[in-house]
Structure formats: C-alpha cells, structure tokens
Amino acid sequence: MSYQEGVVVFESIIPIAVGVTLGCLAFIGIREFWHELAIACKGGF
C-alpha cells in the first residue's frame, strides 16, 4: 500500500468512526432521557 492509498483509507475510516461514535452517544443519550422521563412521570423527581 502506498502513502496515498493509506491517506485515502484513513480519510474514509474517520467519518465512519465519528458517525458510529455520535450514533452511540445519541443512543445512550436517548435511553438516559427516556429513563429520566419515566422516573419523572412516576412522580419520583
């Protein structure tokens, strides 16, 4: 693999990694949000 190919592979992996990371954070955030909302709805602030 040449240097140029390595750079292309690297540049194509970064957006995927960032997307997966953001997706996981969003998923965790939504779960936390629903958990907090469920507690609040039960009257247990």
Side-chain angles (χ1 to χ4, degrees), residues 25-45:
L25 287 174
F27 180 70
I28 291 166
I30 289 166
R31 283 188 56 194
E32 284 294 314
F33 173 76
W34 283 117
H35 180 69
E36 294 296 324
L37 194 67
I39 292 170
C41 288
K42 289 175 186 168
F45 280 104

